[in-house]
Amino acid sequence: MEKGYTQKNFGKPVKRYCQTLDLKNDPQLIERYVEAHSRYQSWPEIREGIRQVGILEMEIYILGNRLFMIVDTPLDFDWPTAMARLATLPRQQEWEDYVALFQDCPPGSTSAGKWQMMERMFYLYEE
């Protein structure tokens, strides 16, 4: 989208995590994966669980079969603790098993095992 995307203002400083994951390189599976994440087909329990563990915003972008996820959290957010808790919430493993059909990952993987944390290598900041 050449117009860009509006960012949510949380009214407080936040941390950002960026992760990547590859989908199976099959256009039909990719289309089904995108549909599964639509506002109307994503599972409400999954969206609620993401919020319950303290995530303020989550966005997933796609290019071909490559996904890029941005997660905004409060400054005191602890990623390993939150992901361990997320894995125990209702329907979470069922969701992970379902989306694994589309993802290039080992069967039975948790979200924390599928998504690879990215390292920021450039930051345009004010001096």
Side-chain angles (χ1 to χ4, degrees):
M1 172 166 195
E2 293 179 9
K3 294 181 181 181
Y5 299 93
T6 303
Q7 293 301 115
K8 188 182 258 183
N9 181 346
F10 300 102
K12 61 184 175 185
V14 298
K15 288 194 291 192
R16 173 166 283 177
Y17 296 89
C18 299
Q19 296 183 298
T20 190
L21 178 144
D22 288 336
L23 297 174
K24 294 175 181 171
N25 198 6
D26 177 323
Q28 290 178 326
L29 288 179
I30 293 170
E31 183 178 333
R32 287 177 52 204
Y33 184 82
V34 170
E35 288 172 6
H37 285 79
S38 73
R39 171 176 285 172
Y40 305 105
Q41 291 189 27
S42 62
W43 300 0
E45 300 92 340
I46 301 309
R47 294 170 85 88
E48 180 57 32
I50 290 167
R51 290 182 182 103
Q52 280 181 24
V53 300
I55 293 172
L56 301 172
E57 185 62 86
M58 178 183 284
E59 301 174 62
I60 302 175
Y61 296 82
I62 187 168
L63 178 64
N65 70 320
R66 169 67 46 105
L67 301 177
F68 175 68
M69 181 165 59
I70 300 171
V71 179
D72 292 327
T73 70
L75 293 179
D76 63 352
F77 186 85
D78 181 72
W79 188 271
T81 301
M83 292 304 104
R85 180 172 174 230
L86 183 65
T88 69
L89 295 179
R91 298 197 75 192
Q92 185 65 38
Q93 191 57 51
E94 181 184 355
W95 172 257
E96 295 301 341
D97 292 342
Y98 173 64
V99 294
L101 299 172
F102 313 103
Q103 298 167 334
D104 190 8
C105 66
S109 298
T110 64
S111 180
K114 296 176 186 181
W115 288 89
Q116 300 300 305
M117 196 67 73
M118 299 178 78
E119 183 178 337
R120 180 167 66 186
M121 54 164 269
F122 175 80
Y123 179 62
L124 182 65
Y125 58 94
E126 293 184 31
E127 298 199 26

